[in-house]
Amino acid sequence: MAQTVNSIPCAALIIGGSAGSLDVLLEIFPNLKKDLGFPIVLVIHRKASNESLLTDLLQSRTTLKVGEAEEKELLTAGKVFIAPADYHTLIEDDCSISLDYSEKVNYSRPSIDVTFQSAAEVFKEKLVCILLSGSNADGVEGLKSVNNYGGKVVIQNPNTAIMPYMPQQAVLGVKPNVVLDSYDMADFINNLNN
Amino acid sequence: MIGDAIDNYQVELLLNDVLETHGYDFLEYSHASIKRRITRLYALDNFVSFAEFRYTIKSDKQYFKRFLEEITVNVTEMFRDPSFYKALRNDVLPVLGTYPFIRIWVAGCSTGEEAYSLAIVLKELNLLNKSLIYATDINPSVLEKAKKGMFPLNYLKQYSENYLQSGGLKDFSTYYTANYSLAKFDETLNSKMIFSTHNLVSDHSFNEFQLILCRNVLIYFDKELQHKVFNLFDGSIEKLGYLALGSKESLEFWPKAKEYKRVKMEKIWRKL
Ligand SMILES: C[S@@+](CC[C@H](N)C(=O)[O-])C[C@H]1O[C@@H](n2cnc3c(N)ncnc32)[C@H](O)[C@@H]1O
């Protein structure tokens, strides 16, 4: 079922996660190569207050440039964009970012569904989305759209997730292209190509 | 699912209809978010086809009202971004307090939470008496709510935390009376407010202000439209007056930004 990893085309990688996902990110980031040919967008549920904490934490573990996604900023290869707390992050056709302060989705803002869905329409079969640990079902609907538009659906192996509910729901609701243990993720990402 | 979704071409058609039949121009809104609003409404109201949806929006005035309400994002909060209100309280309003009269424009005020927050700060600085707050929005139904000054009681805990963090010193509950599930705010607060519809895309400037707040509205506009609105504000702010934007918005790429100076860390600029 899983295809050979290096055949997966990737114009953008979106990673969504909630409770328990930080550990995975901290495991992945030190091992990412520094010349990735695509941008990474992170949509991680967190409290609005610790604004720059996540950015600082990840930046300290990687040579990739990490920053909070800015309104109208262009997605560029090799950079990590963190969806700001309390806004939804949408991707425009020209690969720029639109922030949106509308209703929470799945009790979440940023919502993973919202970013997955909007990226699915833009990048179609060249989108790769990874869903990590979490204790709600945000992201599952989004992965369905990714699937429909021909993008690749990657789910953290629920058995390796601190909070297995979110990846479990995804595995049940969407046909994943790949299910990965957290320690295999960095390799997987390094082998995607634009 | 793809079959159900509305594509870019249909969004364009719909927005052109809305402009032609109702006079509201959403063509320069950020595409991804307006498309998401439209798709969401289409699904929410169970339309059987895009043609049906389009026809209803065009021909049914009552439904168009709903369209307008749902397409514009009206989410707001009292004392949202407490550090912003702290800067207003400590750095901006005391300066304006030296003027004989303070005119403030809250553009895109939604249901008014921002205007009431501002009025509370003005009151605590003893400036409310000589202030006038013009609160405007494109959407008439949110203004109706704003006039009433009643907000859901279950939000008040969050609002009072925000208020304390913003440097508020009083007991927040002195500003409202609880009425079933609603908190009704003190009428001295909205005695100094004027509510009116105003469309930032198509309407002109209507006064000169010492302070304009337009927060979390411009994120919905594309770059060119943002710059048009900055020009509109520029023509409506007195020399040495202030412009306040939302925490993710910036004057940065606007050609006239050099004529404005940022106030500390907040998204507040002073016109030089
Ligand atoms: C997210 S709310 C922001 C409310 C408040 N300023 C805040 O920051 O909490 C955005 C508001 O902008 C209004 N709006 C959208 N387009 C507008 C336009 N062209 N002219 C005036 N107001 C507009 C919407 O109706 C909505 O009430």
Side-chain angles (χ1 to χ4, degrees):
Chain A
M1 178 177 73
Q3 354 191 335
T4 47
V5 158
N6 53 18
S7 73
I8 298 182
C10 178
L13 169 67
I14 321 269
I15 304 178
S18 188
S21 64
L22 185 60
D23 296 59
V24 187
L25 295 175
L26 294 179
E27 191 176 340
I28 297 175
F29 269 77
N31 299 315
L32 291 181
K33 58 180 192 189
K34 55 167 168 281
D35 54 346
L36 290 177
F38 47 85
I40 302 180
V41 180
L42 297 181
V43 188
I44 308 298
H45 295 160
R46 63 197 194 282
K47 278 252 177 301
S49 38
N50 313 339
E51 204 52 81
S52 66
L53 194 71
L54 184 62
T55 312
D56 296 346
L57 205 57
L58 291 178
Q59 186 63 84
S60 69
R61 316 274 168 127
T62 179
T63 47
L64 296 166
K65 179 139 182 29
V66 182
E68 219 169 73
E70 302 227 13
E71 166 63 12
K72 304 283 185 284
E73 190 176 6
L74 280 178
L75 293 181
T76 44
K79 201 177 157 191
V80 182
F81 300 81
I82 300 185
D86 216 22
Y87 288 82
H88 296 306
T89 293
L90 300 163
I91 315 296
E92 299 283 347
D93 282 342
D94 66 355
C95 298
S96 68
I97 285 173
S98 282
L99 300 178
D100 177 322
Y101 183 59
S102 58
E103 310 80 1
K104 293 184 177 179
V105 175
N106 303 309
Y107 309 99
S108 313
R109 197 172 47 218
S111 145
I112 303 167
D113 274 344
V114 168
T115 308
F116 279 0
Q117 264 156 3
S118 100
E121 292 179 36
V122 174
F123 297 110
K124 304 196 174 70
E125 65 287 343
K126 293 186 111 188
L127 177 70
V128 180
C129 286
I130 305 184
L131 190 68
L132 303 176
S133 168
S135 51
N136 62 19
D138 192 20
V140 178
E141 282 305 309
L143 287 181
K144 287 183 190 163
S145 299
V146 175
N147 221 334
N148 284 335
Y149 281 96
K152 294 291 169 288
V153 168
V154 182
I155 301 170
Q156 180 180 1
N157 180 350
N159 299 329
T160 69
I162 299 178
M163 294 291 180
Y165 185 79
M166 196 153 92
Q168 240 157 24
Q169 290 304 107
V171 171
L172 291 174
V174 198
K175 196 168 160 286
N177 296 87
V178 193
V179 174
L180 281 181
D181 291 343
S182 54
Y183 41 81
D184 286 334
M185 278 192 196
D187 259 359
F188 174 83
I189 296 170
N190 286 333
N191 283 309
L192 297 170
N193 49 54
N194 192 344
Chain B
M1 258 195 95
I2 294 188
D4 293 348
I6 291 178
D7 65 30
N8 294 345
Y9 174 69
Q10 292 169 323
V11 169
E12 194 100 332
L13 276 180
L14 209 76
L15 296 182
N16 275 307
D17 285 351
V18 167
L19 177 57
E20 274 166 30
T21 31
H22 304 284
Y24 287 92
D25 185 354
F26 292 109
L27 288 162
E28 290 176 278
Y29 278 50
S30 305
H31 186 80
S33 59
I34 197 122
K35 181 175 178 183
R36 179 168 166 261
R37 303 303 294 170
I38 291 174
T39 314
R40 176 180 167 276
L41 185 63
Y42 179 74
L44 215 61
D45 291 351
N46 295 312
F47 280 95
V48 290
S49 69
F50 174 74
E52 176 85 29
F53 187 43
R54 190 178 167 198
Y55 179 74
T56 311
I57 291 168
K58 242 168 115 159
S59 57
D60 181 341
K61 278 223 164 70
Q62 208 50 40
Y63 190 76
F64 178 70
K65 209 171 149 240
R66 170 164 172 78
F67 175 84
L68 192 61
E69 276 165 35
E70 292 297 323
I71 244 50
T72 57
V73 175
N74 302 126
V75 179
T76 184
E77 226 177 76
M78 286 188 87
F79 292 97
R80 167 155 202 237
D81 305 317
S83 64
F84 169 77
Y85 283 93
K86 192 173 238 169
L88 279 187
R89 181 188 287 272
N90 296 334
D91 304 325
V92 173
L93 294 175
V95 176
L96 297 181
T98 62
Y99 295 23
F101 197 74
I102 310 171
R103 266 191 313 272
I104 302 173
W105 179 13
V106 183
C109 69
S110 190
T111 36
E113 283 80 341
E114 208 174 16
Y116 285 84
S117 309
L118 189 60
I120 288 173
V121 181
L122 286 165
K123 191 170 181 188
E124 293 184 2
L125 296 173
N126 276 324
L127 298 174
L128 188 58
N129 279 332
K130 60 170 179 175
S131 304
L132 210 46
I133 300 172
Y134 294 76
T136 67
D137 202 280
I138 189 180
N139 177 349
S141 12
V142 292
L143 292 171
E144 285 309 312
K145 292 191 187 147
K147 276 178 208 162
K148 296 199 177 106
M150 296 202 272
F151 306 120
L153 203 54
N154 52 333
Y155 296 161
L156 268 286
K157 188 174 166 289
Q158 175 70 47
Y159 293 175
S160 99
E161 274 168 29
N162 288 355
Y163 164 79
L164 287 176
Q165 277 181 39
S166 78
L169 300 171
K170 298 245 171 78
D171 178 353
F172 195 57
S173 65
T174 57
Y175 289 111
Y176 62 86
T177 41
N179 238 326
Y180 300 100
S181 60
L182 292 172
K184 166 124 186 70
F185 276 75
D186 192 343
E187 297 206 336
T188 53
L189 299 175
N190 60 10
S191 66
K192 291 296 184 176
M193 297 178 193
I194 296 170
F195 296 97
S196 162
T197 54
H198 182 279
N199 185 343
L200 290 166
V201 178
S202 51
D203 293 340
H204 297 286
S205 171
F206 56 95
N207 214 327
E208 281 238 304
F209 300 92
Q210 284 84 42
L211 168 62
I212 297 179
L213 283 80
C214 184
R215 302 173 68 225
N216 300 302
V217 180
L218 295 168
I219 47 174
Y220 299 102
F221 297 177
D222 73 15
K223 262 212 169 96
E224 267 115 79
L225 182 54
Q226 287 183 353
H227 292 181
K228 273 191 232 166
V229 176
F230 289 145
N231 289 333
L232 169 72
F233 290 155
D234 186 51
S236 315
I237 299 179
E238 270 185 19
K239 201 167 179 263
L240 298 177
Y242 296 88
L243 174 63
L245 303 178
S247 66
K248 302 293 168 204
E249 295 159 336
S250 171
L251 282 187
E252 205 176 339
F253 300 107
W254 177 51
K256 286 185 86 170
K258 293 175 291 295
E259 297 165 28
Y260 284 73
K261 187 173 178 286
R262 179 105 179 250
V263 177
K264 292 192 182 153
M265 297 298 288
E266 294 303 321
K267 293 294 179 74
I268 305 175
W269 284 263
R270 187 163 203 198
K271 185 173 179 174
L272 302 175

